[in-house]
Amino acid sequence: MNDKNTENTDKAILHFIQGNADDKEKAAVLKWLNENPENRKKLFKQKDLWNAAEIDSDRLKELENTEWLALQNRIETSKVRRGFFKELIKIAAIVVVALGVGWISHYFYTDSVSTRKVEMRTVEAIKGQIKEVFLADGTHVWLNAGSQLSFPSDFTEKNREISLHGEAYFEVTSSEKNPFLVKTGNHTVKVTGTKFNICEYPEDKMIETTLVEGKVKIISGNFFKDLYPGEQATFYTETAEVLIGEKDFDIYTAWREGRYEFRNESVDKVFQIMERWWDVEIDYSKEEFKYEYISGVLRKHKPIKQHFEVINELVPIDYKIDDDNITVKLK
């Protein structure tokens, strides 16, 4: 990248963290983030610097963009400046990226440096959304539609505990001494550093934990069980029964990319997913579709009508789409 392109990217990043980037600048930042995983860390650091300036000094806030970029460069290359900002930037920066049909919207949360209180925060991915969340310890979370994540604004040495309602995929930063705990009701997943998916929608009456990489421990009452990559634990909430078996984890994590793969899945379950992903209400008889199972792929970026046409090829149906309300019956 030449100097001119670097300068333009730096300005785009600055406008982005200030919240006033235009579409072209947002696209440049997204491209820059995808070029190197280290760029995410750089973005967090620059956001922390800007937040610190907002909290600490009106004079810093009034700097022109070129002056701010120059100051930021001096801070990053100066041991003295880094020391000065060390206390100032003890902020729990959390980035939430909402993935929707339009552009990406960003939300930044920071704690007050003066009080440094640890508060509980909640992020919700409403129907029709998939969100990315970066927690204070660097843990990366994808939150599926119709899901809610509650977490502390900062993690203490003895506490890395969050709660989940719905579905999420986690990439947890490693810490043997400080395990990461995900609670779903009376069910807990204990993590020391790994990649895994948890699905806990109440209507499913089960909690599925699928391990992609690393190691997790399933804890439920007096039940303790370690999972290994490629394994899935299914906890049935009504009976407290736990089943563990090998699964193709790609099927259970593809939703992060806006793709849901299902093999011999009940039509009822597919309709539930469609309701969450397209934010619609599907009126159908669970009893009528009780014995209907299909295989296929849902793609979030495609019209829901197209998916009903495909379902009709597998299970003959009559359906009527009226805005956000859809009526479906077997032929």
Side-chain angles (χ1 to χ4, degrees), residues 5-22 24-30 32 43 46 69:
N5 287 339
T6 299
E7 181 181 351
N8 289 339
T9 300
D10 287 342
K11 288 183 178 180
I13 294 168
L14 177 57
H15 291 162
F16 180 80
I17 65 176
Q18 291 173 334
N20 55 17
D22 57 28
K24 184 177 180 181
E25 289 172 325
K26 290 175 182 177
V29 172
L30 182 62
W32 175 77
L43 179 66
Q46 292 184 14
L69 290 171

Side-chain angles (χ1 to χ4, degrees), residues 111-159:
D111 284 335
S112 168
V113 174
S114 59
T115 59
R116 291 178 190 162
K117 289 182 179 179
V118 177
E119 300 174 349
M120 290 303 296
R121 301 283 173 78
T122 298
V123 171
E124 181 180 8
I126 62 175
K127 289 183 177 181
Q129 284 187 334
I130 295 175
K131 285 186 177 180
E132 285 186 65
V133 184
F134 290 87
L135 304 182
D137 67 339
T139 291
H140 192 175
V141 186
W142 286 259
L143 199 60
N144 204 351
S147 302
Q148 189 177 86
L149 190 72
S150 297
F151 49 89
S153 56
D154 200 1
F155 291 110
T156 65
E157 293 181 358
K158 297 181 180 180
N159 176 33

Side-chain angles (χ1 to χ4, degrees), residues 49-211:
L49 289 172
W50 182 256
N51 286 338
E54 287 191 309
I55 292 169
D56 186 66
S57 172
D58 289 334
R59 184 179 61 82
L60 286 178
K61 287 191 290 185
E62 293 172 358
L63 287 175
E64 293 293 335
N65 287 345
T66 54
E67 294 175 305
W68 171 259
L69 290 171
L71 174 61
Q72 178 179 277
N73 183 62
R74 291 200 301 274
I75 291 170
E76 292 178 347
T77 58
S78 168
K79 292 182 180 179
V80 175
R81 283 294 182 180
R82 284 201 296 270
F84 172 75
F85 272 80
K86 186 175 181 180
E87 290 301 315
L88 187 59
I89 308 175
K90 285 188 176 177
I91 307 170
I94 301 160
V95 183
V96 180
V97 185
L99 304 179
V101 176
W103 184 248
I104 299 174
S105 58
H106 297 254
Y107 306 88
F108 296 92
Y109 298 84
T110 59
D111 284 335
S112 168
V113 174
S114 59
T115 59
R116 291 178 190 162
K117 289 182 179 179
V118 177
E119 300 174 349
M120 290 303 296
R121 301 283 173 78
T122 298
V123 171
E124 181 180 8
I126 62 175
K127 289 183 177 181
Q129 284 187 334
I130 295 175
K131 285 186 177 180
E132 285 186 65
V133 184
F134 290 87
L135 304 182
D137 67 339
T139 291
H140 192 175
V141 186
W142 286 259
L143 199 60
N144 204 351
S147 302
Q148 189 177 86
L149 190 72
S150 297
F151 49 89
S153 56
D154 200 1
F155 291 110
T156 65
E157 293 181 358
K158 297 181 180 180
N159 176 33
R160 284 209 300 169
E161 181 176 308
I162 68 173
S163 63
L164 170 70
H165 298 283
E167 183 170 19
Y169 177 86
F170 297 83
E171 291 184 356
V172 178
T173 54
S174 181
S175 176
E176 291 287 343
K177 295 181 179 179
N178 187 14
F180 189 91
L181 301 176
V182 182
K183 297 186 72 68
T184 54
N186 60 353
H187 186 81
T188 301
V189 177
K190 182 179 180 181
V191 187
T192 55
T194 189
K195 300 178 182 179
F196 62 101
N197 192 85
I198 298 180
C199 185
E200 180 270 345
Y201 289 107
E203 59 268 29
D204 293 341
K205 298 179 181 179
M206 63 183 181
I207 304 170
E208 292 177 334
T209 303
T210 309
L211 183 59

